[in-house]
Amino acid sequence: MKRWMFLMACFALLVYTAEAQQFTVGTYNMRYDNKDDEKEGNGWKQRYPVIAGLIRFHGFDIFGTQEGLQNMLEDIKGSLPGFSYIGVGRDDGKDAGEHSAIFYNTEKFKLLENGNFWLSAITDKPNKGWDAVLPRICSWGKFQEIKTGFTFYFFNLHMDHVGVKARAESAKLVLEKVKTMAGDIPAILTGDFNVDQHNESYALINNSGLLKDAYETTAFRYATNGTFNAFNTNGKTDSRIDHIFLTNQFKVEKYGILTDTYRNKEGKSGNANTDNFPKEVSMEKYTAREPSDHFPVMIVVDYKK
């Protein structure tokens, strides 16, 4: 009997392994393109090739972005072969203002439907909701994996950075949208929520019974910092304000907050060698930089079709 049960368990595992599929999801606040950042050495033109390289190296298949202006989104798209994006500007519902765009690998996913709604009592046109100081938008898409036919919804947003009521009401609104639009179909929610894991707006979503933070459910976690860095390579926080929530049809295999940096040459060049360096090695003085003032969050998910 024990041998029979063992064989059946092995068979079930093999069947699950054969049927289970996997893809990589991300969320990335890329910091909007502005002249003040450029003056400080954090200009978009020097940052976006690093961002695109990071995305390609870590193998993102689909990811939400925040603060992307139209020129930024086109720069990223041009640097990611085979990718497209959906989303509109929050200021006019077309191209103006920051987007909450969703990028996806067109060789892996087919876009079935898409749309946008504003985080407000008035959801169908640009406006500021509740006590928000800026208009805020959520973009969504219904996707189908080309290889398997697996269908899921993907929602991506950027909540207000000031309005406490706006964030709480936005959380309630998004939960209602996921519930009514997706129904029993698997769903993913990404974004910059502007609240960390201890905030009531976060709890509204994480304790909803509908969506759960991937950080909590992952089988393996790599998170040595929170998700905001303010362009400070020496800063440290435990607060996570960028989140990925999922319905229970997904199994999170691994979760990571990617703290990749790059180096920028500034001022007078100089030799940074020490006595411990072998003579064949040469090192110059450069400045460590962050690709954005947020770190991206990446997860790998399994699902069963």
Short mmCIF file of all heavy atoms in Angstrom, two decimals, residues 202-266:
data_model
loop_
_atom_site.label_atom_id
_atom_site.label_comp_id
_atom_site.label_asym_id
_atom_site.label_seq_id
_atom_site.Cartn_x
_atom_site.Cartn_y
_atom_site.Cartn_z
N TYR A 202 -2.61 49.16 2.03
CA TYR A 202 -1.99 47.89 1.65
C TYR A 202 -2.80 46.72 2.21
O TYR A 202 -3.09 45.74 1.51
CB TYR A 202 -0.55 47.84 2.17
CG TYR A 202 0.11 46.49 2.10
CD1 TYR A 202 0.85 46.11 0.98
CD2 TYR A 202 0.01 45.59 3.16
CE1 TYR A 202 1.48 44.87 0.93
CE2 TYR A 202 0.63 44.35 3.12
CZ TYR A 202 1.36 43.99 2.00
OH TYR A 202 1.97 42.76 1.95
N ALA A 203 -3.20 46.82 3.47
CA ALA A 203 -3.94 45.75 4.13
C ALA A 203 -5.29 45.50 3.48
O ALA A 203 -5.77 44.36 3.42
CB ALA A 203 -4.12 46.07 5.61
N LEU A 204 -5.91 46.56 2.98
CA LEU A 204 -7.19 46.40 2.29
C LEU A 204 -7.07 45.42 1.13
O LEU A 204 -7.97 44.60 0.90
CB LEU A 204 -7.69 47.75 1.77
CG LEU A 204 -8.32 48.70 2.79
CD1 LEU A 204 -8.52 50.08 2.19
CD2 LEU A 204 -9.64 48.14 3.29
N ILE A 205 -5.97 45.49 0.42
CA ILE A 205 -5.76 44.59 -0.71
C ILE A 205 -5.24 43.23 -0.26
O ILE A 205 -5.77 42.18 -0.63
CB ILE A 205 -4.78 45.22 -1.72
CG1 ILE A 205 -5.35 46.54 -2.26
CG2 ILE A 205 -4.50 44.26 -2.87
CD1 ILE A 205 -4.39 47.32 -3.13
N ASN A 206 -4.21 43.25 0.58
CA ASN A 206 -3.55 42.01 0.97
C ASN A 206 -4.44 41.09 1.81
O ASN A 206 -4.28 39.88 1.79
CB ASN A 206 -2.26 42.32 1.73
CG ASN A 206 -1.33 41.14 1.80
OD1 ASN A 206 -1.06 40.47 0.80
ND2 ASN A 206 -0.82 40.87 2.99
N ASN A 207 -5.37 41.68 2.54
CA ASN A 207 -6.27 40.88 3.39
C ASN A 207 -7.65 40.72 2.78
O ASN A 207 -8.59 40.32 3.45
CB ASN A 207 -6.40 41.53 4.77
CG ASN A 207 -5.07 41.61 5.51
OD1 ASN A 207 -4.17 40.81 5.27
ND2 ASN A 207 -4.93 42.58 6.39
N SER A 208 -7.76 41.02 1.49
CA SER A 208 -9.08 41.00 0.83
C SER A 208 -9.61 39.60 0.57
O SER A 208 -10.81 39.42 0.35
CB SER A 208 -8.99 41.76 -0.50
OG SER A 208 -8.12 41.07 -1.40
N GLY A 209 -8.73 38.61 0.55
CA GLY A 209 -9.14 37.27 0.17
C GLY A 209 -9.17 37.08 -1.34
O GLY A 209 -9.38 35.97 -1.83
N LEU A 210 -8.93 38.17 -2.07
CA LEU A 210 -8.92 38.12 -3.53
C LEU A 210 -7.49 38.16 -4.08
O LEU A 210 -7.13 37.38 -4.97
CB LEU A 210 -9.71 39.30 -4.10
CG LEU A 210 -9.76 39.44 -5.62
CD1 LEU A 210 -10.46 38.24 -6.26
CD2 LEU A 210 -10.46 40.75 -6.01
N LEU A 211 -6.68 39.06 -3.55
CA LEU A 211 -5.30 39.23 -3.98
C LEU A 211 -4.35 39.13 -2.80
O LEU A 211 -4.70 39.52 -1.68
CB LEU A 211 -5.12 40.60 -4.64
CG LEU A 211 -5.88 40.86 -5.94
CD1 LEU A 211 -5.92 42.34 -6.24
CD2 LEU A 211 -5.28 40.08 -7.10
N LYS A 212 -3.15 38.63 -3.05
CA LYS A 212 -2.15 38.47 -2.00
C LYS A 212 -0.79 38.94 -2.50
O LYS A 212 -0.43 38.73 -3.66
CB LYS A 212 -2.06 37.00 -1.57
CG LYS A 212 -1.44 36.79 -0.20
CD LYS A 212 -2.37 37.26 0.91
CE LYS A 212 -1.74 37.03 2.29
NZ LYS A 212 -2.59 37.56 3.38
N ASP A 213 -0.04 39.59 -1.62
CA ASP A 213 1.28 40.09 -1.95
C ASP A 213 2.23 38.92 -2.24
O ASP A 213 2.38 38.01 -1.42
CB ASP A 213 1.81 40.92 -0.77
CG ASP A 213 3.13 41.62 -1.07
OD1 ASP A 213 3.70 41.40 -2.15
OD2 ASP A 213 3.56 42.40 -0.20
N ALA A 214 2.89 38.97 -3.39
CA ALA A 214 3.83 37.92 -3.77
C ALA A 214 4.98 37.78 -2.76
O ALA A 214 5.54 36.70 -2.60
CB ALA A 214 4.40 38.20 -5.16
N TYR A 215 5.32 38.87 -2.10
CA TYR A 215 6.38 38.84 -1.08
C TYR A 215 6.06 37.82 0.00
O TYR A 215 6.96 37.14 0.51
CB TYR A 215 6.53 40.23 -0.48
CG TYR A 215 7.58 40.34 0.62
CD1 TYR A 215 8.87 40.75 0.31
CD2 TYR A 215 7.27 40.07 1.95
CE1 TYR A 215 9.83 40.87 1.31
CE2 TYR A 215 8.23 40.18 2.94
CZ TYR A 215 9.51 40.57 2.62
OH TYR A 215 10.46 40.68 3.61
N GLU A 216 4.80 37.71 0.35
CA GLU A 216 4.40 36.82 1.44
C GLU A 216 4.24 35.37 1.01
O GLU A 216 4.38 34.46 1.82
CB GLU A 216 3.09 37.31 2.06
CG GLU A 216 3.19 38.64 2.77
CD GLU A 216 1.97 38.95 3.62
OE1 GLU A 216 1.02 38.14 3.61
OE2 GLU A 216 1.97 39.99 4.28
N THR A 217 3.93 35.13 -0.25
CA THR A 217 3.60 33.78 -0.68
C THR A 217 4.73 33.08 -1.41
O THR A 217 4.63 31.90 -1.74
CB THR A 217 2.37 33.79 -1.60
OG1 THR A 217 2.67 34.55 -2.80
CG2 THR A 217 1.18 34.44 -0.91
N THR A 218 5.82 33.78 -1.68
CA THR A 218 6.89 33.21 -2.49
C THR A 218 7.61 32.05 -1.82
O THR A 218 7.73 32.00 -0.59
CB THR A 218 7.92 34.31 -2.86
OG1 THR A 218 8.86 33.77 -3.78
CG2 THR A 218 8.65 34.83 -1.62
N ALA A 219 8.09 31.13 -2.64
CA ALA A 219 8.88 30.02 -2.13
C ALA A 219 10.30 30.47 -1.81
O ALA A 219 10.94 29.92 -0.90
CB ALA A 219 8.91 28.89 -3.16
N PHE A 220 10.82 31.46 -2.54
CA PHE A 220 12.16 31.99 -2.29
C PHE A 220 12.13 33.50 -2.42
O PHE A 220 11.54 34.04 -3.36
CB PHE A 220 13.18 31.40 -3.28
CG PHE A 220 14.54 32.03 -3.16
CD1 PHE A 220 15.39 31.68 -2.12
CD2 PHE A 220 14.97 32.97 -4.08
CE1 PHE A 220 16.64 32.27 -1.99
CE2 PHE A 220 16.23 33.56 -3.97
CZ PHE A 220 17.07 33.21 -2.92
N ARG A 221 12.78 34.19 -1.48
CA ARG A 221 12.73 35.65 -1.45
C ARG A 221 14.15 36.23 -1.43
O ARG A 221 15.00 35.81 -0.64
CB ARG A 221 11.97 36.11 -0.21
CG ARG A 221 11.82 37.63 -0.08
CD ARG A 221 11.14 38.01 1.22
NE ARG A 221 9.85 37.37 1.37
CZ ARG A 221 9.48 36.65 2.42
NH1 ARG A 221 10.33 36.47 3.43
NH2 ARG A 221 8.29 36.11 2.47
N TYR A 222 14.38 37.20 -2.32
CA TYR A 222 15.64 37.93 -2.34
C TYR A 222 15.30 39.41 -2.23
O TYR A 222 14.92 40.06 -3.22
CB TYR A 222 16.40 37.64 -3.64
CG TYR A 222 17.65 38.46 -3.83
CD1 TYR A 222 18.76 38.27 -3.01
CD2 TYR A 222 17.73 39.41 -4.83
CE1 TYR A 222 19.91 39.03 -3.18
CE2 TYR A 222 18.88 40.17 -5.02
CZ TYR A 222 19.96 39.98 -4.20
OH TYR A 222 21.10 40.73 -4.37
N ALA A 223 15.39 39.96 -1.02
CA ALA A 223 14.97 41.34 -0.79
C ALA A 223 15.82 41.93 0.33
O ALA A 223 15.47 41.88 1.50
CB ALA A 223 13.49 41.40 -0.42
N THR A 224 16.94 42.52 -0.05
CA THR A 224 17.87 43.08 0.93
C THR A 224 17.56 44.54 1.25
O THR A 224 18.22 45.13 2.10
CB THR A 224 19.32 42.97 0.44
OG1 THR A 224 19.45 43.70 -0.80
CG2 THR A 224 19.69 41.51 0.19
N ASN A 225 16.58 45.11 0.54
CA ASN A 225 16.22 46.50 0.75
C ASN A 225 14.73 46.65 0.44
O ASN A 225 14.10 45.73 -0.08
CB ASN A 225 17.04 47.40 -0.18
CG ASN A 225 17.23 48.81 0.37
OD1 ASN A 225 16.37 49.32 1.09
ND2 ASN A 225 18.34 49.44 0.04
N GLY A 226 14.20 47.83 0.76
CA GLY A 226 12.85 48.15 0.33
C GLY A 226 12.88 48.56 -1.13
O GLY A 226 13.85 48.31 -1.84
N THR A 227 11.83 49.23 -1.61
CA THR A 227 11.75 49.49 -3.04
C THR A 227 11.98 50.94 -3.44
O THR A 227 11.97 51.26 -4.62
CB THR A 227 10.39 49.04 -3.61
OG1 THR A 227 9.35 49.84 -3.03
CG2 THR A 227 10.13 47.56 -3.31
N PHE A 228 12.21 51.84 -2.48
CA PHE A 228 12.47 53.25 -2.81
C PHE A 228 13.89 53.59 -2.40
O PHE A 228 14.34 53.21 -1.32
CB PHE A 228 11.48 54.16 -2.09
CG PHE A 228 11.63 55.62 -2.43
CD1 PHE A 228 11.32 56.08 -3.70
CD2 PHE A 228 12.10 56.52 -1.50
CE1 PHE A 228 11.46 57.42 -4.03
CE2 PHE A 228 12.24 57.87 -1.81
CZ PHE A 228 11.93 58.33 -3.08
N ASN A 229 14.62 54.30 -3.27
CA ASN A 229 16.01 54.61 -2.96
C ASN A 229 16.38 56.09 -3.06
O ASN A 229 17.46 56.49 -2.64
CB ASN A 229 16.95 53.79 -3.85
CG ASN A 229 16.79 54.09 -5.33
OD1 ASN A 229 17.00 55.21 -5.79
ND2 ASN A 229 16.40 53.07 -6.09
N ALA A 230 15.50 56.92 -3.66
CA ALA A 230 15.73 58.37 -3.78
C ALA A 230 17.05 58.69 -4.48
O ALA A 230 17.67 59.71 -4.21
CB ALA A 230 15.69 59.03 -2.40
N PHE A 231 17.50 57.80 -5.37
CA PHE A 231 18.78 57.97 -6.08
C PHE A 231 19.97 57.96 -5.11
O PHE A 231 21.04 58.49 -5.43
CB PHE A 231 18.80 59.24 -6.91
CG PHE A 231 18.00 59.16 -8.18
CD1 PHE A 231 17.04 60.12 -8.47
CD2 PHE A 231 18.21 58.14 -9.09
CE1 PHE A 231 16.30 60.07 -9.64
CE2 PHE A 231 17.47 58.07 -10.27
CZ PHE A 231 16.51 59.04 -10.55
N ASN A 232 19.80 57.40 -3.95
CA ASN A 232 20.85 57.36 -2.94
C ASN A 232 21.39 55.93 -2.84
O ASN A 232 20.72 55.04 -2.30
CB ASN A 232 20.30 57.82 -1.59
CG ASN A 232 21.36 57.81 -0.49
OD1 ASN A 232 22.52 57.47 -0.73
ND2 ASN A 232 20.96 58.17 0.71
N THR A 233 22.58 55.71 -3.35
CA THR A 233 23.14 54.35 -3.35
C THR A 233 23.49 53.86 -1.96
O THR A 233 23.71 52.67 -1.76
CB THR A 233 24.40 54.29 -4.24
OG1 THR A 233 25.33 55.28 -3.79
CG2 THR A 233 24.06 54.53 -5.69
N ASN A 234 23.56 54.77 -1.00
CA ASN A 234 23.93 54.38 0.36
C ASN A 234 22.73 54.34 1.31
O ASN A 234 22.90 54.17 2.51
CB ASN A 234 24.98 55.35 0.92
CG ASN A 234 26.27 55.29 0.14
OD1 ASN A 234 26.77 54.20 -0.14
ND2 ASN A 234 26.81 56.44 -0.24
N GLY A 235 21.53 54.51 0.79
CA GLY A 235 20.34 54.50 1.63
C GLY A 235 19.86 53.08 1.92
O GLY A 235 20.19 52.13 1.21
N LYS A 236 19.07 52.95 2.96
CA LYS A 236 18.51 51.64 3.33
C LYS A 236 17.13 51.86 3.92
O LYS A 236 16.91 52.74 4.75
CB LYS A 236 19.40 50.95 4.37
CG LYS A 236 18.86 49.62 4.92
CD LYS A 236 18.92 48.54 3.86
CE LYS A 236 18.63 47.15 4.45
NZ LYS A 236 17.20 46.97 4.82
N THR A 237 16.16 51.06 3.48
CA THR A 237 14.82 51.08 4.04
C THR A 237 14.23 49.68 3.99
O THR A 237 14.59 48.89 3.11
CB THR A 237 13.89 52.06 3.28
OG1 THR A 237 12.59 52.02 3.86
CG2 THR A 237 13.76 51.67 1.81
N ASP A 238 13.34 49.40 4.91
CA ASP A 238 12.61 48.14 4.88
C ASP A 238 11.22 48.31 4.28
O ASP A 238 10.49 47.34 4.12
CB ASP A 238 12.50 47.55 6.30
CG ASP A 238 13.86 47.13 6.85
OD1 ASP A 238 14.67 46.62 6.06
OD2 ASP A 238 14.10 47.32 8.06
N SER A 239 10.86 49.54 3.96
CA SER A 239 9.53 49.81 3.42
C SER A 239 9.44 49.40 1.96
O SER A 239 10.27 49.81 1.14
CB SER A 239 9.19 51.30 3.56
OG SER A 239 9.00 51.65 4.90
N ARG A 240 8.43 48.65 1.65
CA ARG A 240 8.14 48.27 0.27
C ARG A 240 6.89 49.04 -0.17
O ARG A 240 5.81 48.81 0.37
CB ARG A 240 7.89 46.76 0.18
CG ARG A 240 9.12 45.93 0.46
CD ARG A 240 8.83 44.44 0.43
NE ARG A 240 8.15 43.97 1.64
CZ ARG A 240 6.90 43.59 1.70
NH1 ARG A 240 6.12 43.63 0.62
NH2 ARG A 240 6.37 43.18 2.84
N ILE A 241 7.05 49.94 -1.13
CA ILE A 241 5.88 50.69 -1.61
C ILE A 241 5.49 50.28 -3.03
O ILE A 241 4.46 50.69 -3.53
CB ILE A 241 6.11 52.21 -1.55
CG1 ILE A 241 7.26 52.65 -2.45
CG2 ILE A 241 6.37 52.64 -0.11
CD1 ILE A 241 7.42 54.16 -2.53
N ASP A 242 6.32 49.45 -3.65
CA ASP A 242 6.00 48.88 -4.97
C ASP A 242 5.66 47.40 -4.75
O ASP A 242 6.47 46.66 -4.17
CB ASP A 242 7.20 49.01 -5.90
CG ASP A 242 7.65 50.46 -6.05
OD1 ASP A 242 8.46 50.91 -5.20
OD2 ASP A 242 7.18 51.13 -6.98
N HIS A 243 4.49 47.01 -5.22
CA HIS A 243 4.00 45.67 -4.88
C HIS A 243 3.49 44.92 -6.10
O HIS A 243 3.10 45.52 -7.11
CB HIS A 243 2.85 45.77 -3.87
CG HIS A 243 3.17 46.55 -2.64
ND1 HIS A 243 4.04 46.10 -1.67
CD2 HIS A 243 2.74 47.78 -2.22
CE1 HIS A 243 4.13 47.01 -0.70
NE2 HIS A 243 3.36 48.03 -1.02
N ILE A 244 3.48 43.59 -5.98
CA ILE A 244 2.83 42.71 -6.95
C ILE A 244 1.88 41.81 -6.18
O ILE A 244 2.30 41.02 -5.32
CB ILE A 244 3.85 41.85 -7.72
CG1 ILE A 244 4.87 42.73 -8.44
CG2 ILE A 244 3.12 40.95 -8.71
CD1 ILE A 244 5.95 41.95 -9.18
N PHE A 245 0.59 41.95 -6.47
CA PHE A 245 -0.45 41.13 -5.85
C PHE A 245 -1.00 40.16 -6.90
O PHE A 245 -1.11 40.52 -8.09
CB PHE A 245 -1.60 41.99 -5.33
CG PHE A 245 -1.23 42.96 -4.23
CD1 PHE A 245 -0.92 44.28 -4.52
CD2 PHE A 245 -1.20 42.54 -2.91
CE1 PHE A 245 -0.59 45.18 -3.52
CE2 PHE A 245 -0.87 43.43 -1.89
CZ PHE A 245 -0.56 44.75 -2.20
N LEU A 246 -1.39 38.97 -6.45
CA LEU A 246 -1.91 37.97 -7.37
C LEU A 246 -3.08 37.20 -6.78
O LEU A 246 -3.18 37.07 -5.55
CB LEU A 246 -0.82 36.94 -7.73
CG LEU A 246 0.53 37.45 -8.21
CD1 LEU A 246 1.53 37.44 -7.07
CD2 LEU A 246 1.05 36.60 -9.36
N THR A 247 -3.93 36.69 -7.64
CA THR A 247 -4.98 35.77 -7.21
C THR A 247 -4.34 34.41 -6.96
O THR A 247 -3.21 34.15 -7.37
CB THR A 247 -6.09 35.67 -8.25
OG1 THR A 247 -5.52 35.31 -9.53
CG2 THR A 247 -6.85 36.98 -8.38
N ASN A 248 -5.09 33.52 -6.30
CA ASN A 248 -4.49 32.27 -5.83
C ASN A 248 -4.28 31.21 -6.91
O ASN A 248 -3.80 30.11 -6.62
CB ASN A 248 -5.32 31.68 -4.68
CG ASN A 248 -6.74 31.36 -5.09
OD1 ASN A 248 -7.06 31.30 -6.28
ND2 ASN A 248 -7.61 31.15 -4.12
N GLN A 249 -4.61 31.52 -8.17
CA GLN A 249 -4.30 30.57 -9.24
C GLN A 249 -2.81 30.54 -9.56
O GLN A 249 -2.34 29.63 -10.24
CB GLN A 249 -5.08 30.91 -10.52
CG GLN A 249 -6.58 30.73 -10.41
CD GLN A 249 -7.29 32.04 -10.11
OE1 GLN A 249 -6.71 32.93 -9.47
NE2 GLN A 249 -8.50 32.19 -10.58
N PHE A 250 -2.08 31.54 -9.07
CA PHE A 250 -0.64 31.60 -9.32
C PHE A 250 0.13 31.09 -8.10
O PHE A 250 -0.25 31.32 -6.96
CB PHE A 250 -0.20 33.04 -9.60
CG PHE A 250 -0.73 33.61 -10.88
CD1 PHE A 250 -1.81 34.48 -10.88
CD2 PHE A 250 -0.14 33.28 -12.10
CE1 PHE A 250 -2.29 35.02 -12.05
CE2 PHE A 250 -0.61 33.81 -13.28
CZ PHE A 250 -1.69 34.69 -13.27
N LYS A 251 1.25 30.43 -8.39
CA LYS A 251 2.19 30.02 -7.35
C LYS A 251 3.48 30.80 -7.57
O LYS A 251 4.06 30.73 -8.67
CB LYS A 251 2.46 28.52 -7.42
CG LYS A 251 3.46 28.03 -6.38
CD LYS A 251 3.75 26.55 -6.56
CE LYS A 251 4.80 26.06 -5.57
NZ LYS A 251 5.15 24.63 -5.79
N VAL A 252 3.92 31.53 -6.57
CA VAL A 252 5.12 32.36 -6.71
C VAL A 252 6.35 31.53 -6.36
O VAL A 252 6.51 31.09 -5.23
CB VAL A 252 5.04 33.61 -5.82
CG1 VAL A 252 6.27 34.50 -6.06
CG2 VAL A 252 3.75 34.38 -6.08
N GLU A 253 7.22 31.33 -7.35
CA GLU A 253 8.43 30.54 -7.13
C GLU A 253 9.54 31.37 -6.50
O GLU A 253 10.26 30.90 -5.63
CB GLU A 253 8.91 29.95 -8.46
CG GLU A 253 8.00 28.87 -9.02
CD GLU A 253 7.97 27.63 -8.14
OE1 GLU A 253 8.90 27.41 -7.34
OE2 GLU A 253 6.98 26.87 -8.26
N LYS A 254 9.69 32.62 -6.97
CA LYS A 254 10.71 33.48 -6.37
C LYS A 254 10.32 34.94 -6.52
O LYS A 254 9.62 35.32 -7.45
CB LYS A 254 12.09 33.21 -6.95
CG LYS A 254 12.25 33.39 -8.43
CD LYS A 254 13.69 33.04 -8.84
CE LYS A 254 13.91 33.22 -10.34
NZ LYS A 254 15.30 32.90 -10.73
N TYR A 255 10.81 35.72 -5.57
CA TYR A 255 10.51 37.15 -5.48
C TYR A 255 11.82 37.88 -5.26
O TYR A 255 12.64 37.49 -4.42
CB TYR A 255 9.56 37.39 -4.30
CG TYR A 255 9.33 38.84 -3.93
CD1 TYR A 255 8.13 39.48 -4.24
CD2 TYR A 255 10.29 39.58 -3.24
CE1 TYR A 255 7.90 40.81 -3.89
CE2 TYR A 255 10.09 40.91 -2.89
CZ TYR A 255 8.88 41.51 -3.22
OH TYR A 255 8.66 42.82 -2.86
N GLY A 256 12.02 38.98 -5.99
CA GLY A 256 13.24 39.75 -5.79
C GLY A 256 13.04 41.24 -5.92
O GLY A 256 12.25 41.70 -6.75
N ILE A 257 13.72 42.01 -5.09
CA ILE A 257 13.84 43.45 -5.24
C ILE A 257 15.24 43.68 -5.81
O ILE A 257 16.25 43.41 -5.15
CB ILE A 257 13.66 44.19 -3.91
CG1 ILE A 257 12.24 43.95 -3.37
CG2 ILE A 257 13.91 45.69 -4.08
CD1 ILE A 257 11.99 44.51 -1.97
N LEU A 258 15.31 44.14 -7.05
CA LEU A 258 16.57 44.16 -7.79
C LEU A 258 17.30 45.48 -7.56
O LEU A 258 16.91 46.52 -8.07
CB LEU A 258 16.30 43.96 -9.28
CG LEU A 258 15.45 42.72 -9.62
CD1 LEU A 258 15.25 42.62 -11.12
CD2 LEU A 258 16.10 41.45 -9.07
N THR A 259 18.37 45.42 -6.80
CA THR A 259 19.11 46.62 -6.40
C THR A 259 20.32 46.89 -7.30
O THR A 259 21.34 47.41 -6.85
CB THR A 259 19.55 46.50 -4.94
OG1 THR A 259 20.34 45.30 -4.78
CG2 THR A 259 18.36 46.43 -4.00
N ASP A 260 20.20 46.55 -8.57
CA ASP A 260 21.28 46.76 -9.53
C ASP A 260 21.67 48.25 -9.59
O ASP A 260 20.81 49.13 -9.56
CB ASP A 260 20.84 46.35 -10.94
CG ASP A 260 20.44 44.88 -11.03
OD1 ASP A 260 19.80 44.40 -10.09
OD2 ASP A 260 20.75 44.24 -12.04
N THR A 261 22.95 48.52 -9.69
CA THR A 261 23.45 49.89 -9.87
C THR A 261 24.33 49.92 -11.12
O THR A 261 24.63 48.90 -11.73
CB THR A 261 24.28 50.36 -8.66
OG1 THR A 261 25.41 49.48 -8.49
CG2 THR A 261 23.44 50.33 -7.38
N TYR A 262 24.75 51.13 -11.49
CA TYR A 262 25.70 51.28 -12.58
C TYR A 262 26.70 52.37 -12.19
O TYR A 262 26.55 53.02 -11.16
CB TYR A 262 24.99 51.61 -13.89
CG TYR A 262 24.36 52.98 -13.95
CD1 TYR A 262 24.95 54.03 -14.66
CD2 TYR A 262 23.14 53.24 -13.32
CE1 TYR A 262 24.37 55.28 -14.73
CE2 TYR A 262 22.54 54.48 -13.38
CZ TYR A 262 23.16 55.51 -14.08
OH TYR A 262 22.59 56.74 -14.14
N ARG A 263 27.73 52.56 -13.01
CA ARG A 263 28.78 53.53 -12.70
C ARG A 263 28.82 54.62 -13.76
O ARG A 263 28.71 54.34 -14.95
CB ARG A 263 30.15 52.84 -12.61
CG ARG A 263 30.22 51.74 -11.54
CD ARG A 263 30.01 52.30 -10.15
NE ARG A 263 30.09 51.27 -9.12
CZ ARG A 263 29.06 50.59 -8.67
NH1 ARG A 263 27.85 50.79 -9.16
NH2 ARG A 263 29.23 49.68 -7.72
N ASN A 264 29.01 55.85 -13.32
CA ASN A 264 29.05 57.00 -14.22
C ASN A 264 30.33 57.79 -13.98
O ASN A 264 30.67 58.12 -12.85
CB ASN A 264 27.83 57.89 -13.96
CG ASN A 264 27.72 59.01 -14.97
OD1 ASN A 264 27.89 58.80 -16.15
ND2 ASN A 264 27.43 60.20 -14.49
N LYS A 265 31.02 58.08 -15.07
CA LYS A 265 32.28 58.81 -14.96
C LYS A 265 31.99 60.29 -14.79
O LYS A 265 31.24 60.88 -15.55
CB LYS A 265 33.13 58.59 -16.20
CG LYS A 265 34.57 59.06 -16.05
CD LYS A 265 35.41 58.58 -17.23
CE LYS A 265 36.87 58.92 -17.01
NZ LYS A 265 37.73 58.39 -18.09
N GLU A 266 32.60 60.90 -13.78
CA GLU A 266 32.36 62.32 -13.51
C GLU A 266 33.65 63.02 -13.12
O GLU A 266 34.52 62.45 -12.48
CB GLU A 266 31.34 62.48 -12.38
CG GLU A 266 29.95 62.00 -12.72
CD GLU A 266 28.98 62.25 -11.60
OE1 GLU A 266 29.38 62.84 -10.59
OE2 GLU A 266 27.81 61.84 -11.72
#
